[in-house]
Amino acid sequence: MSDILWIAYLGLLGAPAIGFLLKGKYKTVAMKMDFVVSIMTWTGLFGYVTGIPIGSALVWKIVFFVGILWDLIFVMFIDHSDEKIEGLSEKTVKTTTVVFSIIMLIPLYYGIYRYAFHMM
């Protein structure tokens, strides 16, 4: 059962990234950098879920720390989405985005942590 949930989570993370790529939404340097980091972290999670060794443990330890740092910086400071939600302040939208992003990324970094520090 847990394998099915991990595979579904992989799809949940990968589908929007592929959709953004196909629609040409990675226009800024920050967005392109985010895409590269997303590919690296997704690959690490894929390796964890499937049990396939990809690269060395050192690589995944670096990806783990760089990925967390990048995602926090990107979500909190760089991602200036122009999304306006009627009736909500900009601060409320930003706070909700940060909290939701962190919640969504916890399983990703749990998997990469396990892959880097326990599987290889």
Side-chain angles (χ1 to χ4, degrees), residues 11 17 22 25 37-38 46-47 62 84 92 94 104 112 118:
L22 294 175
K25 298 211 175 190
V37 171
S38 294
F46 177 81
I62 293 169
K84 304 278 187 210
T92 303
K94 186 66 172 174
M104 285 299 297
I112 295 172
H118 297 287

Side-chain angles (χ1 to χ4, degrees), residues 48 57 61 110-120:
Y48 170 70
K61 289 173 184 172
Y110 170 78
I112 295 172
Y113 174 82
R114 298 274 307 164
Y115 191 54
F117 292 95
H118 297 287
M119 284 191 64
M120 299 185 101

Side-chain angles (χ1 to χ4, degrees), residues 2 7 28 30 37 39 51 56-57 88 90-91 93 98 100 105 110 115-116 119:
S2 68
I7 292 168
T28 66
V37 171
I39 294 286
S56 69
L88 294 177
E90 185 177 327
K91 184 177 179 181
V93 171
V98 169
F100 181 74
L105 293 174
Y110 170 78
Y115 191 54
M119 284 191 64

Side-chain angles (χ1 to χ4, degrees), residues 7 10 45-54 119:
I7 292 168
L10 276 168
L45 185 62
F46 177 81
Y48 170 70
V49 170
T50 60
I52 298 171
I54 304 169
M119 284 191 64

